[in-house]
């Protein structure tokens, strides 16, 4: 048994075949008894696994191996030397965002987000959103397709596609990035301390409905969203020393 390690795989054929290969070479522990977890799949399955840990309250270090597409949050796939890789792995602590949403129906929902929280227009009409930072209105009316708040771990995902900044993992910053802004026309976003509380109020939600998405989970017809770092639930990601997450994020600034 590899140091009380559990093994999880996404339902794809590639991941299941990798799972069978590892099961033929190593002995793994049941998930409930494990001290750490090896995850096989892509970034989506890794995020799904981390969310299940957050919601289940049983957070364990995770070592991912890429059997998906991009695999930014995962190590490279190979079967040899897994015990040694786990022993030498470099750990990174990641604090998720906590998104508190109020809907037009009066419901309040709270969801975690590891990469980003994004607000998106639901119809062909642009969204109109008021932006507050720590209780102070900083933009009275942003006219846009949406807006997002990204963590350093998520700054190279949707945030980068929306022309947001890449944040080093230890920067203690959040990226506030507009999505196709029309007004203010020249506003490109902001970099904020991760102690900030960011609030969005939807203007004219009946005519211009907006949804909120925490990583992969969507809540529709919202009227207000509050976002802050949840420091009470730290996640631990494990990486090969030569493939560390902080270096990968930094190198994305030079990708062509």
């Amino acid at each position: 048994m590899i140091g009380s390690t559990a093994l999880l795989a996404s339902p794809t054929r590639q991941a299941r075949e990798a799972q069978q290969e590892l099961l033929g070479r190593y002995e793994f522990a049941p998930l409930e008894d494990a001290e750490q977890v090896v995850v096989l799949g892509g970034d989506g399955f890794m995020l799904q696994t981390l969310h299940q840990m957050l919601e289940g309250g049983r957070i364990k270090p995770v070592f991912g191996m890429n059997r998906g597409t991009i695999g930014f949050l995962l190590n490279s796939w190979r079967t040899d030397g897994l015990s040694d890789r786990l022993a030498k792995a470099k750990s990174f602590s990641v604090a998720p965002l906590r998104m508190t949403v109020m809907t037009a129906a009066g419901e309040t929902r709270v969801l975690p987000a590891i990469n980003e929280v994004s607000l998106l227009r639901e119809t062909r009409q642009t969204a109109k959103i008021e932006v507050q930072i720590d209780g102070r209105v900083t933009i009275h009316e942003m006219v846009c397709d949406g807006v997002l708040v990204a963590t350093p771990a998520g700054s190279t995902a949707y945030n980068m596609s929306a022309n947001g900044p890449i944040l080093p993992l230890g920067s203690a910053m959040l990226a506030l990035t507009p999505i196709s802004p029309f007004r203010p026309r020249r506003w490109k976003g902001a970099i904020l301390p991760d102690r900030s509380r960011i609030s969005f109020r939807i203007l004219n939600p009946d005519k211009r409905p907006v949804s909120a998405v925490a990583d992969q989970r969507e809540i529709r017809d919202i009227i207000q969203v509050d976002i802050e770092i949840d420091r009470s639930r730290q996640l631990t990601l494990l990486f090969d020393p030569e493939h560390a997450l902080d270096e990968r994020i930094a190198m994305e600034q030079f990708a062509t």
Side-chain angles (χ1 to χ4, degrees):
M1 187 175 296
I2 310 177
S4 297
T5 301
L7 180 64
L8 296 177
S10 81
T12 65
R13 185 180 70 177
Q14 188 179 31
R16 292 300 188 191
E17 288 175 353
Q19 181 185 38
Q20 291 305 311
E21 191 170 350
L22 289 179
L23 288 172
R25 299 192 58 172
Y26 305 98
E27 183 181 354
F28 293 92
L31 181 59
E32 58 272 16
D33 299 330
E35 297 174 358
Q36 58 190 359
V37 182
V38 170
V39 172
L40 306 175
D43 286 323
F45 185 70
M46 170 64 88
L47 286 174
Q48 178 183 325
T49 300
L50 295 173
H51 274 278
Q52 288 173 347
M53 288 184 177
L54 287 171
E55 293 166 13
R58 302 186 62 158
I59 299 174
K60 302 175 182 183
V62 177
F63 183 91
M65 284 195 282
N66 186 21
R67 302 314 289 151
T69 306
I70 298 174
F72 193 84
L73 295 174
L74 302 128
N75 298 280
S76 60
W77 160 251
R78 61 180 186 269
T79 58
D80 295 335
L82 182 56
S83 300
D84 191 48
R85 291 176 74 185
L86 291 171
K88 294 179 179 178
K90 186 176 180 181
S91 66
F92 292 88
S93 294
V94 176
L97 297 169
R98 178 171 58 235
M99 175 183 81
T100 304
V101 173
M102 181 178 294
T103 71
E107 180 184 11
T108 299
R109 298 276 302 278
V110 181
L111 292 176
I114 298 160
N115 274 356
E116 77 278 316
V117 169
S118 54
L119 277 64
L120 303 167
R121 64 185 176 99
E122 295 180 8
T123 68
R124 61 181 177 81
Q125 291 189 304
T126 55
K128 292 189 175 182
I129 302 171
E130 178 191 86
V131 181
Q132 296 183 28
I133 309 297
D134 296 326
R136 176 185 177 186
V137 176
T138 53
I139 299 179
H140 289 274
E141 183 182 86
M142 179 166 57
V143 183
C144 56
D145 281 354
V147 63
L148 64 84
V149 176
T151 65
S155 66
T156 58
Y158 190 7
N159 173 70
M160 186 170 70
S161 298
N163 296 315
I166 294 175
L167 304 176
L169 194 59
S171 65
M173 295 291 179
L174 297 173
L176 173 60
T177 303
I179 302 170
S180 301
F182 181 68
R183 291 284 189 273
R185 188 176 292 277
R186 292 181 175 82
W187 189 65
K188 302 299 183 183
I191 298 174
L192 302 171
D194 68 0
R195 64 179 180 275
S196 304
R197 180 181 175 89
I198 304 165
S199 299
F200 302 112
R201 187 168 67 89
I202 310 307
L203 307 177
N204 201 355
D206 293 334
K207 183 179 179 182
R208 302 172 184 272
V210 173
S211 64
V213 183
D215 288 340
Q216 303 159 334
R217 299 178 63 180
E218 180 184 28
I219 301 175
R220 296 180 68 83
D221 300 328
I222 64 171
I223 59 173
Q224 182 161 328
V225 179
D226 298 317
I227 302 165
E228 59 188 338
I229 288 284
D230 184 357
R231 302 188 190 281
S232 66
R233 298 190 291 176
Q234 294 272 351
L235 295 162
T236 301
L237 304 181
L238 303 175
F239 286 89
D240 292 319
E242 72 277 9
H243 210 194
L245 183 60
D246 55 348
E247 295 174 9
R248 298 185 73 182
I249 291 173
M251 286 299 101
E252 282 294 315
Q253 297 176 89
F254 306 98
T256 58

